Amino acid sequence: MKIDFEQLEKDNEDNFKERLEFIKYWVEFIKKNKDEVWSRQQNIVVDGQIF
Amino acid sequence: MKYYKNKKEIELNRELSILDDFVIKFCNLLDEYVVVSGYVSILFGRSRGTEGVDLLIPKLSENEFKKLWRKIYLNGFECLNTSKVNESYDYLKSHAIRFALKGKPVPNIEFKIIKNDLDKYSSDNKIKVKLKNGALFISPPEMQIAYKLFLASDKDLEDAKHIYELFKKDLNMKELERLINNLKVRRNFEKIK
């Protein structure tokens, strides 16, 4: 198996930057909407792992 | 959400999650505490799950701890480390202990004693968050950001980014800068700005 570690490293960095961009997007959504609106969506993720 | 900086209060009208209800139920049993770390980001909208909620409390005498232990058990929680109160009190001197609802290890409360200056800072400068069904005391956003930058896993940096973006307008930038310098996390701050 050939592994391009340099490429993997770069993909990882790009992925992290994309996640930070999404956080910025999500925070804008939070600011523009009522607390009830964003929290209802967020609760699906937060409570998803609670049985 | 409204942040009343002078009053050190935030009004948050979010729909409460099962996790929020769990944290409020536990915190209502305590006289003094401050919630720190990941759950604070989640309370303010970060969309991720968590197993543990970190909570700091002032040092307790053995008697005070035994009284609290009884109250915690009577309210349906159990300690995940040990079922013996004496063992638990000894363990708490140097470690965190975890409490969860009986038979439900997730989510749980990671319960720690205030030990160092960072803990003390969080406690002395705590912010009251008024929720629909109660209130919680949390560490201030400036410390949340700086400490998460110090922990520095991807998840921690993302938590820091969330709090930074959300509170940007209201942050005490001088104080944030001071904490960033003290914790030597300038490079990580540049990554998330």
Side-chain angles (χ1 to χ4, degrees):
Chain A
M1 191 192 293
K2 257 188 171 179
I3 299 171
D4 186 343
F5 284 100
E6 224 169 88
Q7 186 60 45
L8 276 182
E9 188 70 27
K10 193 187 169 305
D11 289 349
N12 202 17
E13 275 172 29
D14 289 348
N15 189 257
F16 178 65
K17 279 180 195 160
E18 280 164 26
R19 289 204 306 274
L20 291 185
E21 276 309 305
F22 174 72
I23 288 170
K24 210 170 166 181
Y25 178 90
W26 175 239
V27 169
E28 284 311 308
F29 185 89
I30 289 174
K31 286 179 182 171
K32 281 181 195 154
N33 288 277
K34 286 185 173 174
D35 292 343
E36 288 89 346
V37 174
W38 60 260
S39 58
R40 221 169 282 143
Q41 292 187 32
Q42 183 218 13
N43 285 350
I44 297 168
V45 178
V46 175
D47 289 337
Q49 70 181 90
I50 299 173
F51 313 109
Chain B
M1 182 184 93
K2 274 182 195 160
Y3 187 6
Y4 304 98
K5 273 196 280 183
N6 294 339
K7 282 166 76 183
K8 291 190 172 182
E9 259 182 36
I10 296 172
E11 214 176 271
L12 185 63
N13 289 314
R14 59 163 303 143
E15 295 286 317
L16 297 180
S17 64
I18 298 170
L19 181 65
D20 297 327
D21 284 331
F22 166 80
V23 179
I24 292 168
K25 187 179 176 188
F26 189 87
C27 288
N28 281 344
L29 305 174
L30 307 170
D31 293 330
E32 213 184 321
Y33 68 89
V34 60
V35 180
V36 296
S37 214
Y39 173 70
V40 177
S41 315
I42 295 170
L43 182 66
F44 290 106
R46 173 102 154 91
S47 57
R48 72 169 177 86
T50 188
E51 284 177 351
V53 174
D54 296 290
L55 205 143
L56 301 172
I57 58 152
K59 200 176 170 190
L60 297 174
S61 71
E62 195 165 350
N63 270 346
E64 286 169 331
F65 182 74
K66 281 180 178 169
K67 246 173 124 178
L68 178 61
W69 175 274
R70 196 174 137 72
K71 199 172 170 189
I72 287 171
Y73 267 73
L74 283 173
N75 279 275
F77 293 90
E78 65 181 347
C79 180
L80 301 182
N81 305 76
T82 172
S83 56
K84 292 177 184 134
V85 62
N86 293 333
E87 262 181 38
S88 182
Y89 184 68
D90 284 341
Y91 199 74
L92 188 58
K93 286 174 190 162
S94 48
H95 300 89
I97 53 173
R98 288 178 190 262
F99 290 100
L101 286 168
K102 280 174 194 157
K104 291 184 174 180
V106 173
N108 56 65
I109 299 283
E110 214 179 319
F111 191 85
K112 294 174 204 162
I113 298 287
I114 294 168
K115 284 199 183 91
N116 55 38
D117 286 351
L118 294 178
D119 297 342
K120 200 172 171 319
Y121 181 99
S122 292
S123 178
D124 291 347
N125 296 283
K126 66 189 168 199
I127 308 275
K128 183 179 187 177
V129 184
K130 290 165 98 177
L131 297 156
K132 281 182 178 172
N133 194 17
L136 289 171
F137 290 95
I138 60 156
S139 79
E142 292 82 5
M143 175 54 91
Q144 274 294 125
I145 294 164
Y147 190 62
K148 280 287 179 178
L149 293 174
F150 174 77
L151 293 175
S153 71
D154 281 3
K155 180 192 75 181
D156 295 313
L157 296 179
E158 288 164 20
D159 283 353
K161 171 79 172 173
H162 182 89
I163 296 289
Y164 177 70
E165 292 292 339
L166 191 65
F167 286 93
K168 217 179 208 172
K169 260 182 21 203
D170 293 311
L171 288 172
N172 178 340
M173 285 310 289
K174 256 190 181 171
E175 187 60 2
L176 179 60
E177 287 289 332
R178 193 179 74 83
L179 293 169
I180 282 171
N181 288 337
N182 284 350
L183 283 160
K184 301 186 170 110
V185 289
R186 172 74 45 199
R187 264 176 65 185
N188 285 341
F189 186 47
E190 296 304 323
K191 275 189 204 171
I192 65 137
K193 255 167 85 180

